[in-house]
């Protein structure tokens, strides 16, 4: 036996044992109700898949292909009716307050049927995470309660996240690149607010969203130091819809161009800006990175889950095909080469899921959801009657002191080590699971031969849908570099990161 002290020293060697086994760190710290919530949420998603997504996925894909200007309100209203847009809004903002850890497995589930429909639901929480990341409780409360009202009225009120610009995609996702980026979205300070001019592109759900949560820059020559975030409704003066992109996949989820033409944003709709950052511990650039990291540590494992979803969906299609197709006088599923291929596909789907579940643990402990997962906070929220919270919280959330307290607790107290761990794992999950996803789609088409490439077979659609996953939420190249920065470079201090 080795002494306790020696064993802990050995386990601290880079990478630490817990660094590649995050769940070990989590055992005992997470509230026990979380796993039950995950099961319930996944069961709901399976029911939705059976009755809504599976019967409609191919028709929606064809409809949007034939008419790329078609706005898919029919399916958005169904998702809204099923409660998917409000289940994960915290109870303090009027939602059902399901644990964020149960959101990502639901995204996998929906994408195992259709990644377009999965994104129509999942990307709502991208918009919401940009909203949450500035910890402005007043505006978060206002926007989230609109979404809840939209569920009640049956008229969906969705939220889109606007970061990408024509000249800044990858560069907009990392402050080390942002400070050299060619951003154009300018927010000019005027009396009582800002006037914003610029264009955002490839905005998922753009044409079906009411609220748009956007980044802009007070000085476009110093973007990393002057980034601000604001919320704007689609009926604001100067808010203009541009084209809807014709995409190869995920056709059910529109990707929109949004143009700001002298669009006035009142101070009360500013989520975070330089003025507010002055009251925090970190510099504007560090705070901008923190905001970006809060968003991507939630959304990148979400895209990882989409990768796991298409990996599993493609596997299921291939298995079904192998069980009913005869090749050289026997069922395909009885050929050993096909069994090896199906085994590999099963492993790919499982590995993809493991990456985002591990990351889920880290986000729950160290990322944006950390506060909500603290046991006292978790149980307080569970026990509190919604009617009481609905009466108290809209008032409390408006108080400057409440907002400042949230910001201080979350933003000032987050340790750099925790932020790196969460961000590095979010990237790991994103690129590993989406690469496994597209790999399975290729394998499914390979197994199915000519049947695999027919439009009326689902394998072909999975393959088209999966390619997009390697691009958004930071391309897989950027995510590899971010993993290097967060998880490898600390052990190689001489390494220069994002210097090229
Ligand atoms: C369907 C779809 C939906 C989207 N939805 C949204 C949305 O809702 N909101 C939003 O804000 N954005 C959205 N995006 C935008 C998405 O986040 C960007 O496409 C992505 O960040 C990549 O940016 P880019 O396309 O401009 O590629 P570029 O940044 O131009 O990159 C081109 C190539 O160069 C590589 N590259 C660039 N910089 C580096 C670097 N420093 N080091 C190494 N390689 C590099 C990239 O990996 C890539 O291969 C969406 C995109 C798509 C396709």
């Amino acid at each position: 036996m080795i002494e306790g002290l020696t064993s802990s020293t050995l386990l601290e060697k880079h990478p630490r044992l817990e660094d590649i086994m995050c769940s070990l760190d989590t055992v005992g710290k997470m509230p026990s109700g979380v796993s039950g919530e995950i099961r319930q949420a996944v069961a709901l998603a399976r029911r939705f898949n059976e009755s809504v997504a599976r019967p409609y996925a191919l028709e929606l894909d064809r409809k949007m292909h034939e008419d790329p200007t078609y706005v898919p309100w029919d399916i958005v209203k169904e998702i809204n009716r099923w409660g998917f847009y409000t289940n994960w809004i915290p109870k303090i903002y009027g939602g059902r307050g399901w644990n964020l850890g149960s959101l990502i497995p639901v995204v996998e589930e929906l994408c195992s049927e259709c990644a377009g429909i999965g994104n129509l639901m999942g990307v709502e929480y991208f918009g919401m995470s940009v909203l949450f990341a500035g910890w402005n409780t007043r505006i978060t409360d206002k926007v989230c309660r609109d979404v809840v009202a939209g569920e009640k009225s049956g008229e969906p009120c969705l939220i889109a996240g606007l970061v990408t610009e024509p000249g800044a995609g990858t560069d907009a996702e990392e402050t080390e690149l942002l400070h050299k980026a060619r951003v154009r979205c300018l927010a000019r300070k005027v009396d009582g607010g800002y006037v914003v001019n610029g264009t955002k592109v490839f905005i998922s759900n753009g044409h079906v969203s009411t609220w748009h949560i956007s980044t802009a820059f007070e000085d476009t020559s110093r973007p990393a130091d002057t980034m601000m975030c604001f919320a704007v409704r689609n009926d604001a003066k100067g808010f203009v819809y541009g084209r809807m992109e014709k995409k190869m996949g995920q056709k059910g989820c529109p990707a929109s161009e949004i143009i700001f033409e002298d669009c006035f944003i009142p101070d009360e709709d500013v989520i975070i800006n330089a003025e507010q950052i002055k009251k925090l511990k970190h510099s504007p650039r560090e705070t901008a990175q923190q905001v970006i990291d809060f968003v991507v540590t939630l959304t990148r494992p979400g895209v990882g889950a989409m990768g796991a979803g298409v990996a599993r969906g493609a596997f299921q299609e291939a298995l079904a095909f192998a069980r009913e197709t005869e090749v050289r006088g026997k069922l395909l599923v009885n050929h050993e080469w096909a069994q090896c291929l199906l085994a590999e596909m099963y492993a790919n789907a499982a590995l993809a899921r493991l990456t985002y579940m591990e990351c889920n643990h880290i986000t729950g402990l160290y990322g944006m959801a950390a506060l909500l997962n603290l046991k006292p906070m978790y149980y307080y929220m569970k026990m509190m009657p919604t009617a009481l919270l609905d009466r108290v919280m809209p008032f409390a959330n408006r108080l400057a002191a409440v907002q400042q307290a949230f910001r201080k607790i979350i933003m000032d107290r987050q340790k750099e080590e925790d932020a790196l761990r969460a961000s590095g794992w979010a990237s790991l999950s994103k690129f590993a699971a989406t690469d496994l996803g597209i790999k399975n789609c290729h394998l499914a088409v390979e197994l199915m031969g000519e049947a695999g490439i027919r439009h009326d077979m689902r394998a072909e659609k999975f393959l088209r849908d999966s390619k997009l996953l390697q691009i958004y939420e930071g391309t897989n190249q950027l995510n590899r570099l971010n993993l290097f920065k967060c998880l490898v470079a600390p052990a190689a201090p001489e390494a220069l990161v994002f210097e090229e």
Side-chain angles (χ1 to χ4, degrees):
M1 277 299 279
I2 55 170
E3 296 295 321
L5 189 63
T6 318
S7 79
S8 63
T9 316
L10 290 172
L11 295 176
E12 281 304 307
K13 274 181 75 166
H14 183 90
R16 291 184 308 158
L17 181 72
E18 283 88 344
D19 285 345
I20 312 189
M21 203 184 161
C22 315
S23 43
L24 194 64
D25 233 7
T26 318
V27 174
K29 288 189 190 165
M30 284 272 190
S32 57
V34 171
S35 53
E37 275 175 32
I38 294 178
R39 285 172 197 280
Q40 263 182 308
V42 169
L44 179 75
R46 289 198 171 169
R47 210 148 25 95
F48 176 85
N49 274 352
E50 275 167 26
S51 49
V52 181
R54 188 156 184 95
Y56 189 46
L58 284 178
E59 189 188 331
L60 177 66
D61 184 63
R62 258 192 305 271
K63 220 188 255 185
M64 301 280 287
H65 178 75
E66 282 157 15
D67 177 10
T69 62
Y70 178 77
V71 182
W73 282 114
D74 47 0
I75 183 73
V76 168
K77 285 189 175 175
E78 271 301 294
I79 300 172
N80 190 50
R81 196 171 67 79
W82 279 68
F84 286 111
Y85 291 130
T86 61
N87 284 342
W88 291 275
I89 293 180
K91 275 168 96 177
I92 53 170
Y93 299 130
R96 289 192 191 85
W98 289 14
N99 189 274
L100 280 177
S102 66
L103 166 61
I104 300 184
V106 164
V107 173
E108 176 195 321
E109 212 48 53
L110 297 187
C111 291
S112 72
E113 227 25 279
C114 173
I117 294 178
N119 201 26
L120 269 177
M121 189 288 271
V123 81
E124 169 78 355
Y125 292 90
F126 166 63
M128 222 177 270
S129 64
V130 187
L131 173 69
F132 289 170
W135 292 99
N136 185 325
T137 49
R138 184 181 41 74
I139 179 91
T140 305
D141 189 272
K142 174 164 113 175
V143 174
C144 287
R145 284 180 197 280
D146 274 3
V147 179
V148 174
E151 183 181 295
K152 286 195 181 120
S153 68
E155 292 302 321
C157 173
L158 306 195
I159 311 175
L162 288 63
V163 176
T164 306
E165 301 188 15
T170 301
D171 292 351
E173 303 231 3
E174 163 66 52
T175 49
E176 306 278 349
L177 301 173
L178 187 57
H179 83 103
K180 296 179 269 188
R182 285 175 302 118
V183 293
R184 294 277 178 274
C185 200
L186 177 68
R188 189 165 47 83
K189 187 81 191 91
V190 293
D191 264 359
Y194 286 86
V195 172
V196 177
N197 280 287
T199 301
K200 298 284 182 179
V201 287
F202 268 101
I203 304 307
S204 298
N205 276 4
H207 275 75
V208 288
S209 291
T210 306
W211 279 102
H212 292 255
I213 314 300
S214 183
T215 55
F217 307 90
E218 293 190 50
D219 178 349
T220 51
S221 66
R222 294 189 306 118
D225 299 308
T226 64
M227 188 174 101
M228 53 88 75
C229 295
F230 62 92
V232 61
R233 281 180 66 100
N234 61 355
D235 54 4
K237 192 161 174 271
F239 178 102
V240 182
Y241 279 120
R243 66 176 184 277
M244 253 162 73
E245 303 290 346
K246 289 185 196 165
K247 303 187 267 94
M248 68 183 279
Q250 296 181 27
K251 289 176 187 283
C253 181
S256 317
E257 184 184 42
I258 310 266
I259 304 147
F260 297 115
E261 288 176 354
D262 284 333
C263 185
F264 177 70
I265 308 295
D267 281 332
E268 63 168 47
D269 288 345
V270 172
I271 296 166
I272 192 163
N273 65 357
E275 203 51 41
Q276 299 175 34
I277 291 170
K278 272 189 203 151
K279 296 180 197 147
L280 297 170
K281 187 168 97 184
H282 300 294
S283 69
R285 188 177 294 201
E286 287 165 341
T287 308
Q289 187 62 48
Q290 228 180 352
V291 168
I292 294 172
D293 280 343
F294 276 138
V295 174
V296 296
T297 51
L298 193 70
T299 56
R300 285 181 178 162
V303 180
M306 298 177 83
V310 295
R312 190 154 60 80
F315 162 74
Q316 284 165 190
E317 293 306 322
L319 179 61
F321 182 83
R323 290 178 61 202
E324 64 194 23
T325 309
E326 276 199 11
V327 173
R328 281 190 282 114
K330 62 178 180 181
L331 280 177
L332 196 49
V333 77
N334 287 327
H335 287 266
E336 268 188 5
W337 70 268
Q339 292 174 356
C340 287
L341 201 142
L342 287 164
E344 189 176 339
M345 292 180 80
Y346 185 95
N348 288 342
L351 289 170
R353 179 182 289 176
L354 289 175
T355 66
Y356 81 73
M357 285 306 258
E358 281 290 280
C359 185
N360 227 357
H361 290 309
I362 301 192
T363 313
L365 280 184
Y366 309 117
M368 185 148 69
L371 183 69
L372 293 169
N373 275 339
L374 287 177
K375 280 184 183 166
M377 185 73 162
Y378 177 84
Y379 288 113
Y380 175 73
M381 283 296 155
K382 282 275 156 245
M383 313 288 180
M384 265 297 173
T386 309
L388 181 66
L389 284 174
D390 281 351
R391 221 169 299 147
V392 176
M393 290 317 294
F395 169 73
N397 284 332
R398 274 199 295 273
L399 298 176
V402 169
Q403 180 173 310
Q404 197 57 15
F406 266 104
R407 279 193 176 146
K408 288 254 168 235
I409 294 171
I410 313 263
M411 299 180 95
D412 282 358
R413 293 191 59 200
Q414 194 191 32
K415 288 195 229 139
E416 196 195 344
E417 180 196 338
D418 291 346
L420 286 177
R421 210 167 166 211
S423 176
W425 264 86
S427 283
L428 186 157
S429 170
K430 198 274 173 178
F431 75 73
T434 57
D435 285 354
L436 289 164
I438 200 165
K439 196 169 166 197
N440 263 16
C441 297
H442 274 292
L443 291 177
V445 171
E446 195 172 308
L447 182 106
M448 294 164 79
E450 63 183 15
I453 56 164
R454 289 202 176 114
H455 279 294
D456 56 350
M457 301 295 280
R458 290 167 193 264
E460 175 267 349
K461 177 176 169 312
F462 274 121
L463 183 56
R464 281 187 287 111
D465 285 353
S466 64
K467 183 61 210 170
L468 279 59
L469 302 175
Q470 294 180 312
I471 298 171
Y472 55 59
E473 267 335 88
T475 60
N476 282 9
Q477 291 91 331
L478 172 85
N479 277 291
R480 283 184 166 83
L481 290 175
N482 190 51
L483 185 152
F484 183 87
K485 174 185 119 175
C486 297
L487 302 180
V488 183
E494 65 283 7
L496 303 173
V497 192
F498 290 123
E499 283 295 312
E500 249 177 57

